[in-house]
Amino acid sequence: MSTSNHETERNRERNSEATFGDYGGQYVPEALMPAVQELEDAYERYVLENEDGFMDEFRERMRDFGGRPTPLQRADRLSERYGREIYLKREDLVHGGAHKLNNALGQVLLAKYMGKERIVAETGAGQHGTATAMAAAHLDMPCEIYMGRTDVNRQRPNVYRMRMNGAEVNPVEAGSGTLKEAINETMRDWATTVETTHYVIGSIVGPHPFPKLVRDFQAVIGREARAQIQEQAGRLPDSVVACAGGGSNTMGTFHKFVPDEDVDLIAVEAGGSSLEIDAENAVAPNSATLSTGTDGVLHGAMTKLLQSEEGQIMESHSVSAGLDYAGVGPELSHLVETGRVTPVSVGDEAALNGFHRLSNLEGIIPALESSHALGFLEEAHEELGDLVVVNVSGRGDKDLETVLEETEKRDLEAAPDVEVFDS
Amino acid sequence: MSQEGTTDSDIEAAIRENHPALITYITAGDPSLEETKEYVEALDRGGSDLIELGLPFSEPIAEGPTIQAAINRALDAGTTPEGFFDLVDDLETEAPLLVMTYYNMILQYGSSEASRASESDAEPSNKPDVRPFVERGAEAGLSGIIVPDLPAEEADPLREACDDYGLDLVFIVAPTTEGERLDRIMSQVSGFAYVQARLGTTGARADVSGATHDSLARLSEYDVPKAVGFGVSEGDHAAEIIEAGADGVIVGSALIDLIASSDDPAAALEAKAEELKRGAIRGADDNAVESVGETAATSPSER
Ligand SMILES: Cc1ncc(COP(=O)(O)O)c(C=O)c1O
């Protein structure tokens, strides 16, 4: 029994590094454990300690290739509408049109420093896939993207973009053919090719150290925003609002504000068409994991999940493909559990209105994901204080077709006259 | 625990007494729990020394296409943990039974039990707990648990529960498991070491991988029962693997293929188990012939 106690002791020590409170960990097949530990080591050396100037090169490339820093812009008409100061962090202006490049470029560069020869990644809507394909082309790394069959069919332009950048795109036929299945298949590839391949995971999910690694690459959002708001408004904001799927733009925006206890941090999830769960068919018509999920293990981490009582993972739903995931980053689960981050949800319709409102009032067409944060602003601005920062995680060009289709189905108050589209 | 030299667990005894051992896997509920019962009995008759039953989980990341499809069929048929345990309650096989499932299934059995038990309470605890699953498994007569997404580093809670209820928790050793981690995993072996024959996922293959030979050579200094799985599909593979130093072979996808394609799956499974067991014995006989004159072909570890 002494071996066992000794093991328990060393595991406890190790696990405190790998977890956020009750969440996180490394629930992966044994074959991947050495790779995950190799990545821990690389994370410490290159990211935390800037060995070989890794972080310097990363920042330089994010400036020259990625277009950083992005502006923090005062939204004049929204400020007027809501009677308070509204500032937008413009991640839609990052190369590729979303915050996703912050992480993808960081990880592809890290893979290069680690001597890996090949990149694999999953993608749902195709935003992370396109960012990874761009980064891999830029850094001359072979790249394969796994994408569910349903997503391949409904996101053709992104499939073309990945192909143009030289990436292979492998459709995944299993299950409902969306993000969850794409992650499963990428993990299977990685378990086969782990000795030469790095898995560029697309959000702050997965086994340790991915949630920290991705957060640290994304933390540039909040680092810039925090300095910018103090310079432009002379103080810290009362609240910071970001949408949350897996939660990478969310934690990226929040991370530097976490110690600022007077700043409210609000994660806006996809409420879909309803928060009610269809238990019989294991379907959640939403992706409100932080608001309604229960604790469990998926894709390498203990976190909040949309799951049946028996532990089967549910199909999630949202008008925004990038938020459509039954899990969420373990760090966000922890910050919600401790009360530091407030989870809220906004349904499809409010998000669509948010999309139209920002397009119409500010001349910025936001991603449908980001539109959830804007929908929340409309609903709850009175509770957000006098100075609010909203992260616009991406631009909405990719969503135009979905928005047209969804707008025609509804009577949306903020939508322009649809007749122009009909004629 | 076994390595302290006290009494063997059911699983260790089954491997030692029936050496070389045949370990078979099928997914419970594929295509129904009633049929699974027949198939398990057929595998038992065919000479399986241990039988692994898969409890289906919706995200089987360690599985190749064959077992993924079996899991989908089982889930479509409405297989639940409770149905699974009822099946195990009913089974009376000679071969000890193990459950193979993903960690979330074990965790949620606890939390749904807890919430069921405290239905009237205003605030039921929703923290998952592994113990109710292990307790129910022990009550149903399971001898061990294999969890493909639970590495040794995360296994303390389940290991403790398994110790308390007298179940073995079987760990997988991969081709990438080396050095200090390998030592630590091998020092905690309970039941047997599940030697993963190749990188990647489960699935029947046409040959025995070179990695299998490398792994068995690397593991030969550890004096624990070793069974090789991932890709084994024929009697000849079984012979080759046993000859290379394994104590058992594990076969899954090749059996699932039979369930999916055969007109009489029970008969086909029984015949296949016989073929595999014969192959394993042939490998052991070849080994015995070769090692005449050699002293101590498998050296005991330093322990
Ligand atoms: C623009 C945009 N925002 C947000 C998300 C959601 O991801 P996360 O929650 O990791 O930021 C996505 C995902 O594809 C996205 O494309």
Side-chain angles (χ1 to χ4, degrees), chain A residues 239-259:
Chain A
S239 40
V240 177
V241 181
C243 69
S248 66
N249 90 91
T250 336
M251 270 322 298
T253 308
F254 292 172
H255 183 56
K256 291 290 171 188
F257 289 104
V258 168

Side-chain angles (χ1 to χ4, degrees), chain A residues 97-100 125-128 202-204 243-250 321-323 367-370 393-395 398:
Chain A
H99 71 293
K100 294 282 171 186
Q127 289 308 103
H128 175 58
S203 191
I204 55 161
C243 69
S248 66
N249 90 91
T250 336
L323 300 185
L368 267 177
E369 291 80 11
S370 325
S393 55
R395 68 172 186 233
K398 68 183 178 67

Side-chain angles (χ1 to χ4, degrees), chain A residues 26 30 180 188 295 312, chain B residues 58-60 127 154 177 181:
Chain A
Q26 292 180 318
E30 171 58 28
K180 174 162 84 62
R188 293 185 185 111
D295 295 355
Q312 309 297 356
Chain B
S58 57
E59 320 302 320
K127 290 292 166 202
E154 299 287 359
T177 313
R181 288 195 72 250

